[in-house]
Structure formats: C-alpha cells, structure tokens
Amino acid sequence: MAKPRVKVPKKVAAGEVFTIKTLISHPMESGQRKDRKTGETIPRKIINKFSATFNGVEVFSAGLEPSISANPYMEFTAKVNEGGTFKFVWLDDDGSEYSIEKKVSIK
Amino acid sequence: MIIDRRQLMKTSLGLAVLTGVPGVMTVKSFASTEPTAADRIKEFTGGSEMLEGKLSLTTPEIAENGNVVPVLVEVDSEMTDGDFVEEIMVVADGNPNPEVVKFRFTPMSGEATAKIRIRLAQTQNVTAIARMNDGSFQVAANQVKVTIGGCGG
C-alpha cells in the first residue's frame, strides 16, 4: 500500500519561496525485471503522475517514467500570497489515486 | 531437404562456435523500435535550437548504486507571469526507456527547481531540457558513471 508523506511549512510569509518535500512508498516496478523463479517479466506498475495544487490551482506537477527510483522522492518549491490548502496527488498505473492535504497559513 | 529443429540447433550451434558466438555473448540489447533519448528530445523541442547557460543539472560524477541516483535541475528564472519555465524534461540515453521525468512549473512554483531520485542502468549521459514560456529551450548534460546498474535483471 502506497503511503504518501509530505513536508510543508505550517506558516510562511506572503510571497516567500519555500521548499516542499514529498515521498511515497511504492515499488515503481519498471516492467524490465524478470521473476528469478519463473523467468517471466514482472508487469510494470509505477506512479505515473504527481501533482501539487494550492486552493485548487496547479503549482507543480510531474510525469514519471519507469526510470524513477522506488519510493519516489521529490523536492520542489512554491510561493503563496494567502493561506489555504495544498493537495498532493499521486496516480498509479492501476488507476489508484493516493493523496494528502496540508494547510498553510500566512505569518 | 527438410531440416528438423534438432538438426537446426546442432548446425547453428556449430556455426556459433566457429564464429565466436555472435549474438549469444553480446550485452543485453534493448529493442531498437523504442524511441531513443535523441527522439525524445526532438519530440520535446520540435527541433528548435537549445541554448546553454541558464539551466543547471546536478548529478553525482560516480553513482555506486544505479537504483538511487539523485538529480537536481534548476533554471535561473524570475518565475513571474511574463517570464517563467514551463517544463523540464530529463532523459537518460542508456536506459531501456530513456525518458525519465517531466516537471511542469507555474509562476506559483516560485523557483524552477526540482529534485528527484532516478534509476540508471549503466554509465551514461543524463540530459535535461527546459522549455521557457516564450518557447525557447535550454539544455544541460552530465555523464554519470554507474558502478551497479539499476534496472534489475
């Protein structure tokens, strides 16, 4: 089960650029590996898209390919002028969606 | 003459031994129909000229473990509504699937910077290309030496 974790400051100054760190536990099965016992290729199963929105507006997103390491970790920045909620969403090849929300207020 | 499978195997094995076993001993080659890193770059830029200087790509010189290679991309940009980086693509020319990641930025990103951990199958070149909102492109590339490949077998 994929478990997302993010680090966002709780309070920021308006217009200040701050760093967001995200991590999700996921095998990122590349579709290249073979099962040692059966010799069959293990089917691809990765997180293929990530997005970060603030109050419903997209801030940052990423399209991921099998070349991304297991338990994908990403770091990026954001700036906001008002308080609100960040929503982070990860999409799995199998259609599952994992998400987490974080509130940010202005200093 | 009808050659049955057993005979064919014997003959081809004999030939293989005579010719130094070509094919059998070559390093695992990836399907040639897959788009290459160069194809991906062309697709991304539409063949436009790529400039250097504004985009920086930080990778380790030597990656002991190809399963987890940290990559940092940064573009020197004000990230205002009128002047910002739209997208950065990262490709690795020695991976079975050379496309690695595409980051999409907005003026709300504040800075055009992103860090991620990637897999590298072997020693190869990692290239980042950034597309600005005015349609211009920036490029940066690094070679990463990989001690243990990261694609499993």
Side-chain angles (χ1 to χ4, degrees):
Chain A
M1 186 55 199
K3 192 184 164 213
R5 275 189 288 169
V6 297
K7 245 187 186 172
V8 184
K10 285 194 175 72
K11 283 190 172 206
V12 296
E16 171 199 0
V17 177
F18 54 92
T19 301
I20 296 175
K21 296 176 179 181
T22 72
L23 179 70
I24 188 163
S25 55
H26 194 282
M28 295 295 278
E29 195 56 66
S30 68
Q32 298 287 336
R33 293 198 315 139
K34 286 199 170 82
D35 187 305
R36 289 235 163 87
K37 279 181 195 148
T38 64
E40 279 171 36
T41 304
I42 304 169
R44 171 184 142 154
K45 186 186 184 296
I46 66 165
I47 298 281
N48 57 52
K49 195 168 187 320
F50 166 80
S51 72
T53 54
F54 181 70
N55 294 344
V57 180
E58 184 164 302
V59 174
F60 172 87
S61 69
L64 311 183
E65 298 291 332
S67 295
I68 300 302
S69 305
N71 306 323
Y73 170 84
M74 264 182 281
E75 219 180 284
F76 53 94
T77 58
K79 67 173 183 194
V80 297
N81 294 315
E82 70 219 328
T85 308
F86 274 99
K87 188 177 185 188
F88 306 93
V89 179
W90 291 258
L91 295 179
D92 194 304
D93 274 347
D94 69 8
S96 316
E97 191 180 300
Y98 313 104
S99 70
I100 191 168
E101 292 189 0
K102 290 277 172 184
K103 282 198 164 62
V104 173
S105 58
I106 297 294
K107 271 181 202 165
Chain B
M1 190 180 88
I2 298 161
I3 304 171
D4 63 58
R5 186 179 165 274
R6 191 165 296 172
Q7 199 181 347
L8 187 70
M9 288 299 283
K10 270 189 203 159
T11 321
S12 50
L13 194 67
L15 275 172
V17 170
L18 279 174
T19 52
V21 202
V24 182
M25 292 301 287
T26 50
V27 184
K28 190 169 89 182
S29 58
F30 302 118
S32 56
T33 49
E34 294 288 321
T36 63
D39 292 339
R40 290 295 189 195
I41 294 170
K42 215 173 163 191
E43 207 178 279
F44 187 71
T45 63
S48 298
E49 190 193 1
M50 296 184 284
L51 306 169
E52 285 177 41
K54 275 190 173 175
L55 169 64
S56 86
L57 168 69
T58 312
T59 51
E61 208 170 301
I62 298 171
E64 278 180 19
N65 180 358
N67 273 310
V68 188
V69 184
V71 170
L72 166 69
V73 288
E74 279 173 294
V75 181
D76 180 14
S77 164
E78 292 294 317
M79 295 303 274
T80 57
D81 288 344
D83 175 17
F84 67 98
V85 179
E86 280 182 347
E87 195 166 12
I88 299 178
M89 177 178 74
V90 179
V91 293
D93 64 7
N95 272 5
N97 173 0
E99 196 171 356
V100 175
V101 67
K102 274 180 180 159
F103 298 117
R104 289 198 181 88
F105 302 92
T106 66
M108 277 178 77
S109 304
E111 286 172 13
T113 169
K115 227 188 240 182
I116 196 160
R117 295 170 184 162
I118 72 168
R119 292 176 171 139
L120 293 176
Q122 56 188 319
T123 296
Q124 58 184 293
N125 294 311
V126 175
T127 307
I129 301 112
R131 187 180 68 237
M132 314 298 158
N133 67 318
D134 66 2
S136 67
F137 293 91
Q138 289 277 329
V139 66
N142 288 341
Q143 196 200 46
V144 182
K145 292 194 174 83
V146 177
T147 317
I148 303 166
C151 275

